[in-house]
Amino acid sequence: MRYSGLKVITEGLFGNKGWKPAWRDPAPKAEYDAIIIGGGGHGLSTAYYLAKNHGLTNIAVLEKGYLGSGNIGRNTTIVRANYFLQGNSEFYSHSMKLWEGLEIDLNYNVMHSQRGLINLFHSDGQRDAFVRRGNSMINQGDDAILLDREGVREMLPYLDFEQTRFPIYGGLYHPRGGTARHDAVAWGYARAADKRGVDLIQNCEVTGVDIENGRVTGVQTTRGAIKARKVGIVVAGRSSQVAAMAGMRLPIESHILQAFVTEGLKPVIDHVVSFGMGHFYISQSDKGGLVFGGDLDFYASYASRGNLPMVEHVMEAGMTLMPMIGRAKVLRSWGGIMDMSPDGSPIIDKTHVDGLFIDCGWNYGGFKAVPASGWCMAHLMATGESHPVAARFKLNRFATGHILDEEGTGSQHNLH
Amino acid sequence: MRLTCPLCGERDRREFYYYGSEDYLNRPAPDAAPQAWDDYLHNRDNPAGVTRDLWYHDMGCSSWLVVTRNTVTHDILAVEAVADRKGGAA
Ligand SMILES: Cc1cc2nc3c(=O)[nH]c(=O)nc-3n(C[C@H](O)[C@H](O)[C@H](O)COP(=O)(O)OP(=O)(O)OC[C@H]3O[C@@H](n4cnc5c(N)ncnc54)[C@H](O)[C@@H]3O)c2cc1C
Ligand SMILES: [Zn+2]
């Protein structure tokens, strides 16, 4: 069923009785050409592009819970292409272009909103670093505008410009940055993949990876054994567990990241604002809730909830930056399990097992990457070669010294 | 989350700096194979359950601590000073 404005109107006139489930609920087959483990954003987009770009349709996505139950439904939805390093910048640039055509491509409203992202700076040194970043973004073909203090004041009059600890000197404005509805991204890819024949199998946890003579032959699951000559591990925070089933020990440590949302308010924050010095960022959802977050809790964790010190810190940072939000009531807070790589950049690569591929290490920034990650992982699984824009996301780059330390903080899990 | 420092007693998590897995205590010999260094620096078991990691009592006694804890429940099971371990300081 194609979605359209006309369809909404006719369904409205006839009691909304014609809507059908957005995807099938098939039982797993005994064998597929390819299996994707993990029905998050990256797993679903990988399946979609395998079908669409490479014509592979006898494939399945195996999800241990329900589609979208992981980080794809827990993130703060920021989409941006403001990376500095070669290796990252062409990848996120590619992702941004896919975002810009995504709704038409998927025939699904993912509520992608390019409302603009502003990264604030608070010293001359930080401004110089942002000038370099902005130039690198422009060289990549993306957009960046340096705002001085008055420029920021015009767009974000509600900030506390006079604070003594971090006076606002200006901001790097990325007009094409913004947000999208996170669940809708999972649902849109799921529906579009299903339509091309991909089996989306929920409540199906992978419990083992079958390997014969160095080649993957299938997986063991809570719904029985399933054969496949190609298997992709796309399980974000659970990457270490699934990779261990294939005898791998990954350069990943799982950490908790929290987020918060307030009661719905009238439109008040029109952009995405990020306050790096205070470890705080915020936007307003289309429902009106202020959605904000900060840093990791900074210890390895698999609990989908954080601890109070980070809650306090994020609230303090928010109040420092924009005291006007102090009256808003926080409705919910939650956490997600982040697959932290040592250098803060992802991995899309083959493994030591023939036919077994891995896509992980998304840290706290994998939502914006959903389209390009699926595109590149599908390319790798179909052709056996890395896609040019993801060529540096190698699994062994820590051993070879080719790290991609975007923030310049060092190659250690707890530094990003 | 509160950690019981062997010297200072039970303290708030905020007094401690998290460093990473206890793998950091097992530094390879200078001439060890590159793979041993890669394992030491980057590769991790990353268990969902009981783990042992290194914390520093930054705002207390400045001890390095090995904490045994559960990454799923956030329960702290044991805390010992690195200096008290067999074999001495790291
Ligand atoms: C609070 C928070 C805020 C964030 N904010 C942003 C942001 O603003 N912008 C941004 O770009 N990124 C953000 N992120 C990061 C982003 O959400 C993640 O990097 C991204 O969603 C991870 O990829 P995924 O969607 O495939 O993961 P997931 O949705 O977690 O998918 C992995 C799936 O694998 C399944 N799985 C695990 N083990 C198995 C198994 N054995 N068998 C079968 N299935 C299995 C899981 O159930 C899960 O559904 C944020 C994350 C969090 C937690
Ligand atoms: Zn102490």
Side-chain angles (χ1 to χ4, degrees), chain A residues 272-324:
Chain A
V272 180
V273 183
S274 133
F275 172 37
M277 293 310 283
H279 311 291
F280 176 84
Y281 64 95
I282 189 165
S283 67
Q284 186 167 18
S285 80
D286 292 348
K287 273 195 293 190
L290 305 180
V291 179
F292 57 96
D295 261 332
L296 298 175
D297 270 28
F298 284 123
Y299 44 85
S301 171
Y302 283 87
S304 297
R305 59 179 167 78
N307 268 301
L308 291 172
M310 192 46 73
V311 177
E312 187 178 40
H313 178 85
V314 170
M315 301 300 159
E316 282 173 1
M319 286 302 288
T320 305
L321 183 67
M322 42 177 86
M324 71 162 185

Side-chain angles (χ1 to χ4, degrees), chain A residues 37-43 62-66 68-79 204-207 234-238 242 245 257-259 281 334-339 362-370:
Chain A
I37 311 175
H42 295 242
L62 310 182
E63 165 55 46
K64 76 169 175 184
Y66 57 91
S69 55
N71 288 333
I72 187 67
R74 291 171 176 266
N75 64 72
T76 43
T77 80
I78 295 164
V79 173
C204 180
E205 179 170 355
V206 171
T207 54
V234 195
V235 293
R238 291 279 169 175
V242 178
M245 295 172 196
L257 179 69
Q258 303 195 56
Y281 64 95
W334 63 93
I337 306 166
M338 320 305 327
D339 36 335
W362 293 101
N363 297 271
Y364 34 74
F367 178 64
K368 68 180 96 67
V370 163

